[in-house]
Amino acid sequence: QVQLVESGGGLVQPGGSLKLSCAASGSDFSSYVMVWYRQAPGNERELVARINSASITRYADSVKGRFTISRDNTKRTVYLQMNSLKPEDTAVYYCNAKRPPNDYWGQGTQVTVSS
């Protein structure tokens, strides 16, 4: 069993930055694929960025060049550095841990980009 706790969300002006963290409990964190998703009101949940056990990353086209996902296996934590934020980045951001057949979710953290 893995529990995920996100933090770091908040209100930021357009062009600003935020860094989200997702702390995981349990063992074998390094073997999980870690993914950040987001869901805006009225929209489906979408993949933002993922990082596998070899730290290979993948990003949604909408965030490439602005967001960076990373992980620290010693701290059992995954991060999402978000720069040059836009109003359309406003959403609840969720952390997800995958290792088939297991799939765990955090509770989400709100990110609001507004002047």
Side-chain angles (χ1 to χ4, degrees):
Q1 185 77 9
V2 173
Q3 292 185 324
L4 303 172
V5 179
E6 300 101 331
S7 61
L11 173 65
V12 63
Q13 292 186 343
S17 297
L18 280 177
K19 186 173 184 177
L20 305 183
S21 300
C22 172
S25 66
S27 59
D28 297 328
F29 172 79
S30 61
S31 67
Y32 281 81
V33 174
M34 301 300 298
V35 189
W36 284 100
Y37 289 86
R38 67 186 181 187
Q39 187 167 20
N43 291 357
E44 294 186 354
R45 192 170 294 188
E46 64 172 348
L47 186 148
V48 176
R50 74 187 293 271
I51 184 167
N52 68 9
S53 58
S55 292
I56 295 172
T57 59
R58 191 176 77 195
Y59 298 91
D61 287 343
S62 59
V63 308
K64 280 181 183 176
R66 300 188 299 122
F67 291 11
T68 302
I69 188 171
S70 61
R71 66 192 300 162
D72 184 337
N73 292 332
T74 63
K75 295 181 178 179
R76 294 201 297 266
T77 300
V78 64
Y79 304 97
L80 185 68
Q81 176 67 47
M82 305 185 294
N83 298 329
S84 301
L85 282 160
K86 304 175 181 180
E88 51 263 44
D89 295 316
T90 295
V92 178
Y93 284 71
Y94 296 92
C95 179
N96 172 252
K98 299 182 189 292
R99 190 183 70 184
N102 299 311
D103 194 12
Y104 301 104
W105 291 86
Q107 82 288 351
T109 185
Q110 176 70 46
V111 172
T112 302
V113 184
S114 175
S115 55

